[in-house]
Amino acid sequence: MLKALYLIPLLPLAGFVLNGLLGRRLSKPVVGIIACGTVLVAFFLSLGAVMQLGHLESVTPIAGRLDVDQDAKRVTLTAAEWLHAGRGRQGAEFSIPWGFTLDPLSAVMLLVVTGVGFLIHVYSVGYMAHEEGYWRYFAYLNLFMAMMLTLVLGSSFPVMFVGWEGVGLCSYLLIGFDYPKDSAADAGKKAFLVNRVGDMGFVLAMAWIFASLGTLDFTSVMAQASHLTPVVAAAIGVLLFFGACGKSAQIPLYVWLPDAMAGPTPVSALIHAATMVTAGVYMVCRCSAIYLQGPQALMVVATVGALTAIFAASMALRQNDIKKVLAYSTVSQLGYMFLAAGVGAFTAAIFHLMTHAFFKALLFLGSGSVIHAMSGEQDLRKMGGLKKTLPITFATFLVGTLAIAGIPPLSGYFSKDEILWKAFGAGNPLGLGGPIFWAIGLIAAALTTFYMFRLVFLCFYGEGRMDQETAHHLHESPKVMTIPLIILALLSAVGGLVGIPASLSFGRDLNAFERFLAPVFEPAGTVEAGGEPMKAAAESHAGMAQLEYLLMLLALGVVAVSIFTAYRFYRARPEIPQRLAAMYPRLADLLANKFYVDELYDRIIVKPYWWKCNLLAAFDRRIVDGLVNAVGAFTEVCSQLLKLFHTGQVRRYALWFMFGVLAVLWYLA
C-alpha cells in the first residue's frame, strides 16, 4: 500500500478530470458516484497506508524510489524527478524530486482530509442536488481534495507549495461558485488576493532555507535545523508563519474567511474543517525543529494565536448570520491551535486540529441542513423553534456545540484543555508568563461557549420567527445529508478519547495520540534552542496534577457560567440583550460591525491602492498611449503624403526620378 502512496492524491484528481471534461454530459448520479467514489477509495488507501506504517519492518526499501526510516516511522516515495536547476551559491545542487512522505503527522492529516472530506462529498449530493452547475461543483471539490492531499503528503517545501497554491485556487473557484452574484465573486477574489499576500512570506522563507541549508527536503531541513543560528531560524519561522496567517486566517490576514461564507455551505465545511485553513497549522508543526531553534518565532506564533482566538470570538458575539457565527468561530479555534504550537505543544495543536475537524464539519453541515429547511434563510433572527421539525439536525448540532464548548467527555474538552494546560506552563524569551496565554485562552473559551449556545437558543428554541411560507415548507433533510451528520456527531463525541491526558489516566498511559505523534515531535524537542526551549518549559508543570485539576475545574466553571448566561439572555429573558445594547450602544455597534476592521482595511489599503491604480491607468492612457498614438498619427500623415507619389505609372516615376537627379545636381553645383 505504501508503494502506491501517489495514488491517494491522484484519485480525486482523476475525479476532477472526468467530471470536468465529461460532467456536463453525465447524469447527476454518475457525477456524484465519480466524485464520492474517488475520495472513498483514497480514504481506504490512506487507511491501509497508515496501518502499514505501524509495521515498517515488513516494508522493503527500494533504492532511489522508496526510503524507509523505521525509527522515525517515516516512508518517502519518490515518484519522479521534478525540478533541476543547477547549483546554488554554496555549491548545493537544486534538485527537487516529486515525492510524498508518510509519517505519523501526515497520517493524521491524511485520515482527517479523506475521511471528513468524503462525508462532506456525500452530504453535497443532497445539498447541491438542484444546482445547475452540479458537475462543475464536484469537479472543483475533487480538485480541492487532490491539492490538499498533495500539500499534506509533499516531501519537500516546493511540493507542499504546489498543494498550498492549489487549495488557494480551489478556494477561489468554490467560494465564487455562484459567480453571477457579485458577493460571491468578490468573496472569491478577496480570498485569493489575501492568501497571495501571505504566500510572499512562504516563498521568502523557502529561499532563505535553501540559501542557508542547501536543501528544501523536509527530512534534510529538519535534521540540519540545529545548524541555523537562532536569529536566522526565528526569521525563517516568522516568514513561514506569515504564510500560515494567510492560509489559516490569523491576524492580520483573517478577513477573507468570514466572507468565504458566500460559497455553498458544504464548501464552507470543507475549507473550515478538513482542508485549507488547517494547512497553516500543519506547516508550522511540520517545521517544529526550525521553530524550536528560533524560540522568538514561537513567541510570535503564540501571541498572534492567542490574540486571534479572543478577537475572533468577540466578533462572533453579535453576528446574526448562522454561517458567519461559525466562520468567526473557526478563526478563533485556529488561534487556539497556533497558541498551542507557539508554546511548543505541537501534539496538542494537531490534536485540536483533528477534533475541530469533526465538530466544525458537523456544525457547518448542520447549519446547511437548517438553511436547506429554511429555504435559504441564514438570519438567526428569522429562525426559532426548529428543534421539533429538525430533530436529527438539532441533536447532532447540539453534540457539536457541546464539543466545541469543551463539555467532558466530548472531543473538544480533551483537546482544548490540553492547550490551556500547556499554555499555562509555557515560558518565553520575553519573560511573559504562560498564565497570560492561559487567561486569554480561558476567556476565549467562555466567549465561544456563549455565542454557540446563543446560536442554539435562537435557532432551535422558542417560537418560530420565520414567515408562513417558510414555516410551511420546514422539513428534516434527506438521509444523504443526515447520515454524515450522525457519523460526524459520533466522531465529535468520542474522537477525543484517543488523547486522554495523564492526569485523567489513573496511572496508565491512555494518550495514544501523543504516543503516535512522538516519532515526529520528540526529535524536534531535543534541538538546542537559541533561548529557553519552550517545550521544556511547557512541560515543567507536568507533575503538578493538583494544579491541573484546579485549572480543569475552573475552565468547566467558566463554561457553565457561559451556558447559563446564554440561557438567560436568549431563552429566559430575551429582553436583556436589547437592554444592554441600549445601555452601551458604541460597544454594541463595535461588536456588530466586527471592530470596523474591513472598513479600516478599505480606507488604508484598498482605496489608496485603487487611487494609485487609477492614477497609473490615467498616465498610461494619456501619456504613454498619447505618445504612441502621436507617433502613429505622424507616421500615417507621412504615409498619406508619400502615397501621392505612388501611382503605379512608370512614366511618372521616371519624371520624379529626373526631378530628383536635377535637385541633386543643383545641390552639388
Side-chain angles (χ1 to χ4, degrees):
M1 201 70 76
L2 291 171
K3 296 175 184 175
L5 207 57
Y6 59 88
L7 286 179
I8 295 174
L10 273 183
L11 281 165
L13 186 64
F16 159 70
V17 173
L18 284 173
N19 277 333
L21 295 177
L22 307 174
R24 191 189 295 271
R25 301 181 185 85
L26 300 175
S27 65
K28 286 185 176 180
V30 174
V31 169
I33 289 172
I34 292 173
C36 298
T38 52
V39 178
L40 180 62
V41 176
F43 171 70
F44 283 128
L45 280 178
S46 303
L47 199 59
V50 172
M51 292 175 69
Q52 200 174 358
L53 195 65
H55 305 282
L56 284 182
E57 62 279 1
S58 61
V59 179
T60 305
I62 303 174
R65 178 169 167 75
L66 187 67
D67 181 57
V68 180
D69 187 336
Q70 294 192 27
D71 294 333
K73 292 290 181 187
R74 182 176 58 238
V75 173
T76 300
L77 176 70
T78 302
E81 187 70 21
W82 180 37
L83 292 175
H84 186 81
R87 297 180 181 277
R89 291 174 56 188
Q90 297 179 348
E93 188 174 359
F94 186 81
S95 179
I96 303 294
W98 187 265
F100 297 122
T101 294
L102 184 67
D103 65 359
L105 177 57
S106 53
V108 173
M109 293 296 295
L110 200 59
L111 295 178
V112 167
V113 172
T114 54
V116 177
F118 170 69
L119 294 174
I120 293 171
H121 272 67
V122 173
Y123 178 94
S124 298
V125 171
Y127 191 86
M128 302 294 289
H130 304 294
E131 289 289 333
E132 291 184 1
Y134 188 81
W135 61 275
R136 182 165 57 89
Y137 169 82
F138 277 105
Y140 292 163
L141 215 58
N142 271 179
L143 183 62
F144 207 140
M145 293 292 293
M147 290 297 107
M148 189 64 195
L149 292 170
T150 302
L151 188 157
V152 167
L153 289 173
S155 62
S156 63
F157 281 99
V159 177
M160 172 188 267
F161 193 67
V162 171
W164 189 273
E165 290 302 298
V167 294
L169 169 66
C170 295
S171 68
Y172 164 73
L173 295 172
L174 283 168
I175 293 169
F177 176 76
D178 196 8
Y179 59 85
K181 291 182 180 175
D182 288 342
S183 57
D186 291 343
K189 287 185 284 187
K190 188 175 183 180
F192 189 81
L193 292 174
V194 173
N195 272 275
R196 298 296 77 73
V197 175
D199 291 347
M200 179 182 64
F202 197 142
V203 172
L204 291 175
M206 279 198 294
W208 203 335
I209 290 170
F210 182 73
S212 301
L213 301 177
T215 179
L216 288 175
D217 177 77
F218 280 128
T219 304
S220 301
V221 169
M222 300 314 145
Q224 300 178 53
S226 58
H227 297 164
L228 298 171
T229 65
V231 173
V232 171
I236 291 173
V238 170
L239 287 173
L240 287 172
F241 179 61
F242 190 66
C245 283
K247 201 63 70 185
S248 296
Q250 296 295 286
I251 294 174
L253 302 178
Y254 72 89
V255 290
W256 67 269
L257 194 58
D259 286 13
M261 298 302 100
T265 302
V267 171
S268 304
L270 192 63
I271 293 178
H272 285 244
T275 57
M276 187 167 171
V277 298
T278 62
V281 180
Y282 170 72
M283 186 262 282
V284 168
C285 293
R286 171 61 72 194
C287 300
S288 56
I290 294 177
Y291 281 98
L292 288 171
Q293 183 67 9
Q296 290 81 2
L298 282 179
M299 178 64 190
V300 174
V301 175
T303 303
V304 172
L307 293 177
T308 304
I310 193 169
F311 189 59
S314 63
M315 284 190 283
L317 292 174
R318 281 181 56 82
Q319 296 304 308
N320 293 315
D321 185 316
I322 185 172
K323 288 175 66 179
K324 285 284 182 72
V325 175
L326 298 178
Y328 283 107
S329 166
T330 300
V331 178
S332 178
Q333 295 300 308
L334 289 167
Y336 261 105
M337 297 174 208
F338 280 114
L339 171 60
V343 299
F346 300 107
T347 302
I350 297 298
F351 187 29
H352 197 59
L353 185 156
M354 183 187 76
T355 60
H356 177 263
F358 298 152
F359 57 69
K360 187 51 61 73
L362 171 62
L363 291 171
F364 263 112
L365 297 187
S367 72
S369 183
V370 170
I371 295 168
H372 183 261
M374 292 285 297
S375 305
E377 181 59 65
Q378 297 183 196
D379 194 330
L380 288 167
R381 293 168 294 187
K382 298 178 182 177
M383 298 181 185
L386 298 177
K387 178 183 174 183
K388 294 181 179 176
T389 49
L390 307 177
I392 299 176
T393 300
F394 165 71
T396 54
F397 199 94
L398 186 60
V399 171
T401 303
L402 293 171
I404 196 175
I407 303 297
L410 303 180
S411 59
Y413 165 74
F414 293 106
S415 57
K416 184 203 71 176
D417 203 68
E418 182 81 358
I419 291 174
L420 291 177
W421 171 239
K422 295 291 185 183
F424 187 86
N428 60 69
L430 299 184
L432 297 175
I436 295 177
F437 288 142
W438 172 82
I440 294 174
L442 188 65
I443 295 171
L447 295 177
T448 301
T449 305
F450 177 80
Y451 68 68
M452 284 307 304
F453 274 89
R454 168 182 178 265
L455 188 158
V456 169
F457 289 132
L458 287 177
C459 182
F460 294 102
Y461 287 88
E463 296 296 325
R465 299 178 292 279
M466 67 287 296
D467 56 54
Q468 290 186 350
E469 178 69 18
T470 303
H472 180 70
H473 290 97
L474 283 176
H475 60 281
E476 183 58 279
S477 297
K479 288 183 179 179
V480 72
M481 293 170 65
T482 54
I483 290 176
L485 291 179
I486 294 170
I487 296 173
L488 286 169
L490 290 173
L491 290 171
S492 301
V494 304
L497 297 178
V498 298
I500 297 175
S503 57
L504 297 179
S505 299
F506 305 104
R508 292 179 294 175
D509 184 6
L510 299 179
N511 198 332
F513 195 80
E514 191 171 72
R515 285 200 309 276
F516 184 69
L517 287 178
V520 179
F521 295 128
E522 281 190 351
T526 62
V527 174
E528 288 295 330
E532 181 185 5
M534 297 186 71
K535 183 176 181 181
E539 294 175 345
S540 62
H541 295 263
M544 302 173 66
Q546 291 182 341
L547 177 61
E548 189 172 355
Y549 292 141
L550 179 63
L551 296 180
M552 283 181 187
L553 290 175
L554 194 55
L556 286 174
V558 167
V559 167
V561 170
S562 294
I563 295 174
F564 177 72
T565 307
Y567 173 78
R568 290 282 292 173
F569 279 26
Y570 297 100
R571 187 79 180 97
R573 302 280 302 279
E575 72 278 8
I576 293 179
Q578 287 83 1
R579 194 183 303 166
L580 286 175
M583 291 172 63
Y584 307 101
R586 291 185 178 180
L587 178 60
D589 287 345
L590 203 61
L591 293 175
N593 290 286
K594 301 158 288 183
F595 298 101
Y596 294 99
V597 174
D598 280 313
E599 288 78 2
L600 184 66
Y601 279 13
D602 187 61
R603 177 164 295 185
I604 65 174
I605 296 176
V606 177
K607 285 184 177 175
Y609 175 76
W610 279 113
W611 183 81
K612 290 177 184 176
C613 288
N614 289 330
L615 186 64
L616 291 173
F619 179 80
D620 181 57
R621 283 195 303 270
R622 298 179 186 280
I623 306 299
V624 178
D625 287 357
L627 287 174
V628 172
N629 291 336
V631 171
F634 177 74
T635 305
E636 185 178 1
V637 170
C638 292
S639 67
Q640 292 294 337
L641 290 174
L642 290 173
K643 193 169 68 176
L644 298 175
F645 301 98
H646 290 269
T647 61
Q649 298 177 5
V650 177
R651 286 180 299 176
R652 184 162 295 185
Y653 289 160
L655 180 65
W656 287 114
F657 179 74
M658 184 186 71
F659 284 148
V661 171
L662 290 176
V664 171
L665 291 175
W666 176 79
Y667 176 75
L668 293 176

